[in-house]
Amino acid sequence: MAADPVRTRFAPSPNGPLHLGHAWAAIVAHDRARRDCGQFLLRIEDIDGARSRAELIEQTLDNLAWLGLTWDGPVVLQSARVGGHVAAAERLKAMGLLYPCQCTRSEIAAAATRHGPDGLVYPGTCRGRAVDPAGAAWRLDMGAAMALAGVLTWHDEIAGEQTARPDLFGDVVLLRKDAPSSYHLSATLDDAADGITVVTRGADLFAATHVHRLLQALLGLPVPVWHHHALLVEAAPDGGPPRKLAKRRGSPALSDRRAAHEDGRALADALRAGRFPDGVWAGTGVT
Ligand code: GLU
């Protein structure tokens, strides 16, 4: 049987201007698709109403074009798909796998006993309790979900075969109090809706894939392969471990480079060749 044509995507959240690290992520996704004559999609993950900024969407398109990247099909706005995300959550509710949670951050901090990939692991306070669902967050009952799904594996093109460990996260939030869905649920559903066959993203999201693989199993979604690439990092001024680039720490925005008439295609080619600006390098390994 012929393999599915490769489809990748770049899925930035329009919360801040794109910087060099985003350029690198977009180039990895774009080149991974083009290498196999595949398709490269652009999806704007704009479900976080409080943080998303519409003017950054236009800038993103201009920045990618400036880097010489082309994408296939219309730009997808994740916010247009929230109805489908909520409907999937309703299915999980009907399966008895979600429960409402009214805990505040400080209550969680006071009761939590371990850390997971996203910080403190929710201690399960509201699980099995009668909680007012109005305005609540909805959490996945991780134990029940894993029991239903059984042992799951997934494949990363760089790190190889993985056994899914969503338990590391505990009972993750799938419907947020302050947003219509959540990253885990929306990204998983949209990758399926977009027919993505190779999910490329930074190694900082490696662990999130454990949760996404579980959601795919619960919702009967196709299973892509993943390609978690190294992040661009810089030295920490205090001598601590290298940290990923961030605009708020002074990594120049791509729009500023563009406004200064830098050659975007030359910059993209330099990144491809591993020629990074002084003090920046591609971190090794998986975080
Ligand atoms: N929207 C996410 C971000 O900007 C990326 C999501 C993904 O690639 O899965 O960090």
Side-chain angles (χ1 to χ4, degrees):
M1 201 175 74
D4 288 337
V6 168
R7 270 162 86 90
T8 66
R9 80 322 190 255
F10 176 54
S13 304
N15 302 337
L18 300 193
H19 56 68
L20 216 56
H22 296 104
W24 172 249
I27 290 166
V28 168
H30 172 273
D31 290 4
R32 177 67 190 84
R34 298 295 181 236
R35 189 186 91 190
D36 285 348
C37 302
Q39 293 190 316
F40 168 62
L41 276 62
L42 178 56
R43 184 170 78 227
I44 306 291
E45 300 208 321
D46 60 342
I47 52 166
D48 195 336
R51 296 177 64 216
S52 288
R53 289 163 48 198
E55 74 277 12
L56 292 176
I57 299 176
E58 204 58 40
Q59 260 186 36
T60 296
L61 309 194
D62 292 346
N63 287 332
L64 295 184
W66 171 73
L67 289 165
L69 305 183
T70 53
W71 57 92
D72 297 293
V75 176
V76 174
L77 291 186
Q78 189 162 63
S79 54
R81 293 183 167 165
V82 158
H85 304 163
V86 173
E90 292 301 327
R91 280 176 55 204
L92 296 172
K93 282 185 197 174
M95 292 160 76
L97 295 176
L98 300 194
Y99 64 88
C101 169
Q102 294 281 12
C103 289
T104 61
R105 274 174 200 272
S106 50
E107 285 165 345
I108 295 171
T113 55
R114 67 180 173 106
H115 274 84
D118 272 349
L120 287 174
V121 171
Y122 181 65
T125 319
C126 292
R127 194 192 317 125
R129 279 199 184 163
V131 171
D132 180 4
W138 287 80
R139 291 182 178 275
L140 183 66
D141 181 336
M142 189 56 80
M146 288 181 69
L148 188 65
V151 176
L152 298 168
T153 58
W154 53 277
H155 184 78
D156 183 276
E157 290 188 329
I158 298 171
E161 204 67 8
Q162 308 292 317
T163 298
R165 291 288 317 276
D167 51 303
L168 297 174
F169 287 79
D171 293 355
V172 284
V173 170
L174 292 191
L175 293 178
R176 284 166 50 176
K177 278 184 189 171
D178 58 342
S181 180
S182 70
Y183 162 64
H184 293 308
L185 185 62
S186 305
T188 304
L189 289 165
D190 284 1
D191 283 338
D194 291 330
I196 301 302
T197 62
V198 184
V199 174
T200 75
R201 58 180 168 221
D204 54 337
L205 288 169
F206 189 89
T209 301
H210 295 310
V211 176
H212 300 185
R213 180 68 189 88
L214 174 62
L215 293 176
Q216 286 158 356
L218 297 174
L219 292 166
L221 302 174
V223 181
V225 301
W226 283 264
H227 178 115
H228 292 95
H229 58 78
L231 295 176
L232 293 194
V233 296
E234 61 187 358
D238 59 2
R243 56 189 199 180
K244 66 178 179 174
L245 300 186
K247 174 69 178 65
R248 65 179 180 282
R249 300 198 197 106
S251 181
L254 297 183
S255 337
D256 292 342
R257 290 173 177 267
R258 186 158 51 87
H261 303 294
E262 189 175 332
D263 182 336
R265 285 166 190 261
L267 173 66
D269 282 341
L271 296 178
R272 286 183 175 106
R275 290 196 308 277
F276 303 115
D278 280 353
V280 173
W281 69 97
T284 51
V286 157
T287 54

